[in-house]
Structures are given as C-alpha cells and as structure tokens.
Amino acid sequence: MLINTLLLVSSVFCFKPESDSAFLFREHPYLFEKYRELLVNVRNYYVTPPEAEEEFKAIMKELRRKFPNTLTPGEYIPLVFPLAGSNVSAVGGRRGNGYYVHQFDLFDQSVSGSHPAHDIFIYDRDHDCIDDRRGEYVDVVSVGNGIVLAVEHDWQEGSVFKGGNYVWVYDLERGGLWYYAHNRISVVQAGQRVRPGDKLGEVGRTGFNAARSRSDTHLHLMYLELDDDLYPHPVNYYEWLKDAETVYTSTTAENYTPPRQLNFLPVEKPGNHKINLSAQPPLTLRVKRPPVRRK
C-alpha cells in the first residue's frame, strides 16, 4: 500500500527532468483539470477570492517553472491576428476604445463595470455565425505559441454563463494568459500545444450576453499579464493588434494524447472498507464550502 501511495503522489506532483519542451505536461495532466476546476469554483462562488488567488498562483508557479517566458523585458515579436483573414479594422470601438478597466478581479465575480478585452467582429447581419461577405464561418486562431489551459465545448443556449465556449491559452513567449470567448465551437483540448495561426475555434454567439439579438457576432479576447507575484492584470494590447500579421488559412494544432493512467487495485481494509487509490489528490488541499453569500 505504501509503495502504491508513493507512486501515485509522485505521478501527480512530479515532472520528469526533460529538456524537450514539447508536451512536458503529459506527466502532469491534472494541472489543467485544476485550472478548469478553479474557473468553475470562482464562477459558482464555491471559494472565496483569497482562496481562488492562492490556487491560481500555485498553478501559475508550476507553469512558470516548466515554461519560463521566452521574451525578455522590452523584447517584442508581432502577434498573429486572432481572426483568420481579418485585421485591426474588425476591432470594435473607435481606435480600440471598447477596452476599459475600472475595476477588475479575476477571483471575484461580484466585481463588474469593466470590459478588459477587445471585441473583434465579423459581418453577420442574420446572426447565423457565417460571415456574410465570405459565406463561411471564420476561424479563431492562436495569436502566438502557447499551451491550452482550459476549454469549454458544450455551452447550452439559455445558460447564464457569460463566456460561452471559451479557450484559455498560456502564452509561452510573454508568460501571460489569453482568453478567447463566445466561440461557436472550440476545437482544441486542454494540454494541447498551439502555434501562431493554429485554429482554436470559430467565431460565434455563445455566452449569456453574446447570444442576445442585440449583440453582433464577435470574438471576445482578453490578455492577462502576470506580475512578479503571479497576480493577473489585464493589458490593453490594441497596439499589438495594429501590428499583427493576418493569416488567411488556419493551421491545425498538433495532436495531444493524454497520458496513460496507472491503475491501482483497491486495498482491503479492516471492516471490509475499500479505498480506491486511483483517486487523484488535488494540487492543494481544500475543503468544499457552500457558496459565499454576498451582501
């Protein structure tokens, strides 16, 4: 039993010391599950903001440890524009003024009144998610090199959740997070490596507000920069979009095969109680709490 337990803990909490940066997270797939779980817990008020911040920083610390950002301070490389065949003229607002921040807290859903993102539109008068000028769906593509952290594929009409079908990507060059929301479909999965121009999904109308008739079809794109304490701050990247490269045909991200899991036999305990050692322990120990009531 002791040996099985040690092997299990090692498989969950340890990385192999490999120099090849491609898919090192195959040894640690639960990091992605923890990030997805964190998003759900914040959205449903299952954790307090301080608890959520602590968990977020633990996850980001592991990402930074294995994948330190490749750009040095002050270094710059252009993005790929996030919609295939499009450019900065598709960004909502006047010269990017659709982006504004009054208050922002990733860990507290009660904080509102800001739009720390740019909405990037297609021409879709009948709201069928098909660009009327092209006669086809428009691909959402990765702006740079990254690893997919979390994905929503199954948003249902009538849901009150705002992001719809989303994709979170950890930026391997800048060390921040990209959030692509309202996709018609998302075509990647957590753990997958993406490169500039790889298809993440298609522009859509998923999400509580984006699905309404008053809303035009668009991609909601936010970038969060992590400070030295790994706290996330929204960044207005409009100038990056002005300099971004347009790709007219998206590429397909490299396939990702989740790791094969070790299966442990249940261990018989006194009193005929069985403990399933295949259950995966969390990265941080946390007690489920009822939703936090806010005044």
Side-chain angles (χ1 to χ4, degrees), residues 79-242:
L79 302 177
V80 163
F81 198 80
L83 298 191
S86 192
N87 57 40
V88 71
S89 65
V91 177
R94 182 180 176 84
R95 297 179 180 176
N97 67 359
Y99 176 103
Y100 56 90
V101 177
H102 300 305
Q103 299 180 85
F104 175 81
D105 190 336
L106 182 66
F107 314 116
D108 188 347
Q109 294 294 286
S110 68
V111 175
S112 59
S114 294
H115 188 262
H118 288 290
D119 291 339
I120 305 173
F121 294 85
I122 64 172
Y123 192 62
D124 178 23
R125 291 175 297 180
D126 54 2
H127 292 174
D128 62 356
C129 299
I130 295 176
D131 188 288
D132 296 339
R133 290 171 291 194
R134 305 188 200 182
E136 60 186 9
Y137 299 118
V138 176
D139 289 347
V140 175
V141 300
S142 178
V143 299
N145 289 291
I147 292 178
V148 179
L149 279 183
V151 185
E152 177 60 62
H153 295 99
D154 301 316
W155 184 86
Q156 300 296 318
E157 188 173 354
S159 170
V160 298
F161 300 132
K162 296 180 179 180
N165 292 327
Y166 61 73
V167 178
W168 281 90
V169 176
Y170 176 72
D171 190 316
L172 293 172
E173 294 156 337
R174 298 162 188 84
L177 302 174
W178 292 97
Y179 173 61
Y180 304 75
H182 307 325
N183 301 326
R184 187 183 79 87
I185 58 171
S186 300
V187 300
V188 289
Q189 61 176 317
Q192 199 165 4
R193 177 75 173 263
V194 292
R195 294 174 172 80
D198 280 353
K199 181 175 179 176
L200 304 177
E202 294 172 359
V203 182
R205 304 180 54 80
T206 61
F208 182 71
N209 292 323
R212 296 181 175 184
S213 59
R214 70 184 185 188
S215 178
D216 291 325
T217 308
H218 66 279
L219 167 70
H220 175 93
L221 183 62
M222 175 174 68
Y223 179 66
L224 299 178
E225 182 179 69
L226 306 182
D227 63 20
D228 291 340
D229 293 324
L230 302 179
Y231 192 89
H233 301 273
V235 171
N236 187 348
Y237 56 90
Y238 180 72
E239 293 298 321
W240 300 353
L241 292 179
K242 289 168 63 176

